[in-house]
Every structure is written in structure tokens, then in C-alpha cells.
Amino acid sequence: MEQLLIHCANAIETNDATLAQQILWVLNNIAPPDGDSNQRLTCGFLRALISRAARTGCCKMITAMANSTANLTINTHKFSVIELASFIDLTPWHRFGFSAANAAILEAIEGFSVVHIVDLSSTHCMQMPTLIDAIANRPEGPPFIKLTVAGATADVPPMLDLSYDELGSKLVNFARSRNVGLEFRVIASSSSDGFASLIEQLRVQKIVFPEGSEGEALVINCHMMLHYTPEEVNPNPYNTFESSSVTSSSSFRNMFLMALRVLDPTLVVLIDEDADFTSNNLICRLRSAFNFMWIPYDTVDTFLQRGNKQRQWYEADISWKIENVIAQEGLERVERLEPKTQWVQRMRNARFRGIPFSEDAISEVKSMLDEHAAGWGLKKEEEDLVLTWKGHNVVFATAWVPC
């Protein structure tokens, strides 16, 4: 099926409409949307290729097929807070990063009376309740928490059905119920420019309230969000910085990390999926995506029955990601995962030093994995932790401090 998809992609790119249509016909017959995991995976790529052909207009008959095929529609779900929390609990995909990050954060903030957490997360602060719970039980008493989130992130799955202001009110009330003081702030800042507005607000705040004056820790929690930041070279949006470490020749990813380093944070946690979707070559991206995206389709069969609503939501989100990787180009192609090795190098270049996760953190992650299917595993790679499915890398967790 992978080879058929590659031949089809080549035919679309070379405008060979006849061959493309023949292969699409074959794929349509052998990869039904309700088949086994490999067939559903292939169907997702089939949709994406038809969408790509329709967008470019290179094959008129395929464009007509796209316009007339209801199966091509991806109906992503807008979650309520309760639905999203339940949805995330289904697999360790996000919970792994939550557990590892929370353990690292708890250690880093020991002794601080005020903790400023900047949460850059694709899961809309779903990590925060468990962190607040853990902080509430701190032996010396909980610190006051300032929680800052970027409110204008890309409209990508999973999506939430309420505003961040409403979400913030819920979190403040939850923290109050746990006897934890919480201040919630939304800054309109987007990954498309490397969160430039957010960085500027944090920089100004650091000048007004320098770290250490009131025992304040600054924690940057990056959970599957930074790969939405473009890696192209762009003009420097951080024009208020006078640091020579942030230059106009940097990519937005490097610029963001260097700008973080200027803030001298107490801890940076970086969690993301361990794959490479950055190639400008469609065939390379297709191969890489096919050899990674089989994992969520394979895992879903272990915990959700066919026809289940949550399964439909889960696979719609996966299909959205596949279509973005395959059908989109330029800045609209936001699913640009990088492997752990590349992020590690970026962090080191920005003058951060990796720190290991403690044995307590590893025990927390292992206990969480025990609640899920037997195929999930954990391995250590130097200072880092990696979530695996049947031995294949899925998500990595890293923790960093300034050098």
C-alpha cells in the first residue's frame, strides 16, 4: 500500500492523470475507511492525495472526484473540557509527556514561593489540573501560580468548544478548590511568528519583576506545540531584543529558543512526537508520515470498538494531520515534526543543557503506562525519556536548564 501511494503521489506531481486515477481506483477498493488499521491508514493518505490533486488542479478528473466524494470530508470534533480530558486519558500519547513534565517541574520549583508557568500546549491546558494537584500536596505548602498561555494558536486538532478566558476561569476555580492560588493570563501570540508577542510580554515582565526578587521561578512547558513554528528563515520579529544571539538569519524555531534563553528560565520542558515531516519533497514526507502514522491507527484498535464516537474523533484528528502533511505546502503545512535528535541540537545551540529525569519521574511514567495496553513501553536515551509502541519511538520528553 505504501508503494501504491508513492506511485500515486509521483503521478499527481508529474500530472499523469491517467495513471493517478488508475492507482486511486485500486487504492479506493483495497483501503476502505472501515477496514483494518493498515487499510484505514492508507485511506487517510488516499484522501490526502486526492485533496492535494484537487488543490493544485493538476488532474481535472481527480478534482471532480474530490468535489463529489463525501468520504473525503474530515469532520474534526470540537471538544468540551470534560470530553477532551476523557479523550486524552484514552492513551499515553499525551499523558506520557504530562507525567514526565510534571515530575520535572515539581523538582525544579522546590523552594519557590511564586511559579510562573508558560504553557505552550496543543492540549489546551489539560496538563494543568494534574500539576495543580501535585503542587497542592507539596510538603512546604503550595506556591502561588501564574499561568500564561498563548491564545491565538493555529486552529488544529484537538479543538476546544470554549474560549481560553472561560477555560482560565475553570482552572482558577479548580485551583481554589485545592487551596492553590492561580492567576491565568492569555497573550494573543501565534506559533506562526515564533510566539514573538508572548516572548516580548515575558521579557517586559522580567524587567519589571526580575527573577529572584520575590522567589519566582519561570517554567516554560512546551507540549507538542513547537513543531507548528515555521523553520524557514524569516525577518527577525524579536526586534526589541538587543542580544546578538537572536539574528535575522535564524529560523523562527531557533529564534524562539534563543529568546527563551535570554529570559534565563528555571526550567524548559520540551515534549514532542519523534518523527520527521520537514522535507520539502512530497515523497520523502509521505514515506516518513506513513511509517509513523500507522502507530495511532494500530493503537486505537486496542481500546476503542468500531463505530465508537471517540474512535471517530480520534481518527478524524489523525486524518487531519495526514492531509496537512501531504496536501498542504508553504506556511499552511503546519505539521512539521522534527526528530528528537534535531530538537536536542537546537536546544544545545541555544545554550541550554539537558538534565535527566529522576527515578521518581520514571516511576510515575511507568505507573501511568501500566494503565494502558501492553504494547506501550518506555526507554531512556541519555537524559531523555521516549514513549514507544511495539518498540517504535512515539513521543520524547526532554528537560533543559540554561548553561
Side-chain angles (χ1 to χ4, degrees):
M1 288 187 181
E2 182 185 0
Q3 288 304 311
L4 281 172
L5 290 167
I6 289 169
H7 289 317
C8 185
N10 274 320
I12 290 171
E13 293 302 279
T14 57
N15 203 20
D16 189 340
T18 301
L19 179 58
Q21 286 158 201
Q22 288 173 345
I23 299 173
L24 286 170
W25 183 85
V26 172
L27 286 168
N28 196 49
N29 280 280
I30 64 174
D34 58 350
D36 63 27
S37 61
N38 200 40
Q39 289 172 319
R40 301 196 309 279
L41 168 69
T42 304
C43 183
F45 279 87
L46 170 64
R47 285 192 188 102
L49 286 172
I50 293 174
S51 178
R52 182 181 180 88
R55 288 174 192 277
T56 59
C58 63
C59 304
K60 290 182 179 178
M61 288 186 69
I62 296 175
T63 303
M65 184 191 305
N67 292 334
S68 64
T69 306
N71 283 343
L72 290 176
T73 304
I74 299 172
N75 296 313
T76 51
H77 180 69
K78 280 201 170 185
F79 293 88
S80 69
V81 170
I82 299 299
E83 284 176 341
L84 184 56
S86 174
F87 185 73
I88 284 171
D89 281 345
L90 291 173
T91 79
W93 204 281
H94 291 291
R95 292 188 72 200
F96 161 76
F98 293 176
S99 297
N102 286 352
I105 291 169
L106 282 172
E107 290 179 24
I109 65 174
E110 190 173 338
F112 287 94
S113 58
V114 181
V115 179
H116 187 178
I117 301 170
V118 180
D119 189 38
L120 299 177
S121 170
S122 63
T123 58
H124 311 291
C125 299
M126 289 299 108
Q127 176 182 339
M128 291 302 112
T130 52
L131 180 58
I132 291 168
D133 256 337
I135 285 174
N137 296 320
R138 199 170 73 163
E140 67 269 35
F144 182 79
I145 301 174
K146 298 177 182 178
L147 178 59
T148 298
V149 299
T153 52
D155 191 21
V156 297
M159 292 181 285
L160 203 58
D161 72 349
L162 78 166
S163 71
Y164 266 39
D165 287 335
E166 293 171 305
L167 177 65
S169 296
K170 291 180 181 293
L171 282 171
V172 168
N173 289 334
F174 174 78
R176 188 180 296 121
S177 74
R178 306 293 287 124
N179 296 316
V180 176
L182 175 67
E183 174 187 286
F184 184 88
R185 183 169 60 149
V186 182
I187 295 176
S189 191
S190 170
S191 58
S192 62
D193 66 356
F195 299 103
S197 300
L198 172 69
I199 289 290
E200 173 59 9
Q201 291 280 344
L202 294 175
R203 186 189 74 89
V204 169
Q205 182 170 333
K206 192 168 181 66
I207 292 172
V208 177
F209 305 108
E211 184 179 333
S213 60
E214 295 182 7
E216 180 171 319
L218 175 61
V219 174
I220 314 294
N221 185 64
C222 304
H223 184 92
M224 299 192 191
M225 178 62 80
L226 293 195
H227 71 261
Y228 295 119
T229 305
E231 79 271 17
E232 288 92 351
V233 174
N234 283 281
N236 183 8
Y238 305 101
N239 49 27
T240 54
F241 282 99
E242 297 179 359
S243 169
S244 60
S245 65
V246 182
T247 68
S248 60
S249 62
S250 298
S251 74
F252 275 143
R253 294 186 182 189
N254 291 337
M255 289 160 63
F256 173 75
L257 296 178
M258 290 174 180
L260 282 189
R261 179 61 185 83
V262 172
L263 296 173
D264 197 30
T266 309
L267 178 72
V268 177
V269 183
L270 174 54
I271 315 288
D272 220 318
E273 294 158 329
D274 198 4
D276 189 351
F277 296 171
T278 58
S279 176
N280 288 323
N281 180 277
L282 173 63
I283 305 305
C284 289
R285 288 206 309 274
L286 193 154
R287 285 186 185 276
S288 183
F290 192 87
N291 285 287
F292 181 76
M293 299 306 290
W294 70 270
I295 296 172
Y297 280 100
D298 193 47
T299 62
V300 77
D301 288 340
T302 66
F303 64 89
L304 290 176
Q305 296 296 318
R306 195 172 298 184
N308 180 288
K309 274 189 179 180
Q310 287 184 315
R311 176 162 166 163
Q312 292 169 7
W313 300 340
Y314 185 87
E315 297 197 350
D317 285 3
I318 303 167
S319 292
W320 187 97
K321 291 175 182 291
I322 292 171
E323 179 165 322
N324 189 264
V325 172
I326 301 301
Q328 301 281 12
E329 291 294 351
L331 293 178
E332 291 183 345
R333 179 165 60 82
V334 297
E335 284 291 338
R336 299 192 180 194
L337 293 173
E338 285 187 320
K340 178 173 77 75
T341 51
Q342 183 63 34
W343 280 114
V344 166
Q345 192 57 53
R346 286 187 189 274
M347 292 297 290
R348 288 173 178 167
N349 290 346
R351 296 184 296 119
F352 284 99
R353 172 176 58 85
I355 58 172
F357 290 90
S358 67
E359 288 303 316
D360 285 345
I362 294 170
S363 295
E364 283 281 331
V365 174
K366 286 180 177 177
S367 296
M368 181 273 299
L369 290 180
D370 286 342
E371 300 172 19
H372 296 280
W376 295 104
L378 174 68
K379 67 179 180 180
K380 288 183 66 176
E381 292 183 352
E382 298 180 344
E383 292 95 356
D384 314 321
L385 300 181
V386 180
L387 174 71
T388 63
W389 173 255
K390 297 181 178 178
H392 297 268
N393 285 17
V394 180
V395 178
F396 65 84
T398 61
W400 303 87
V401 294
C403 290

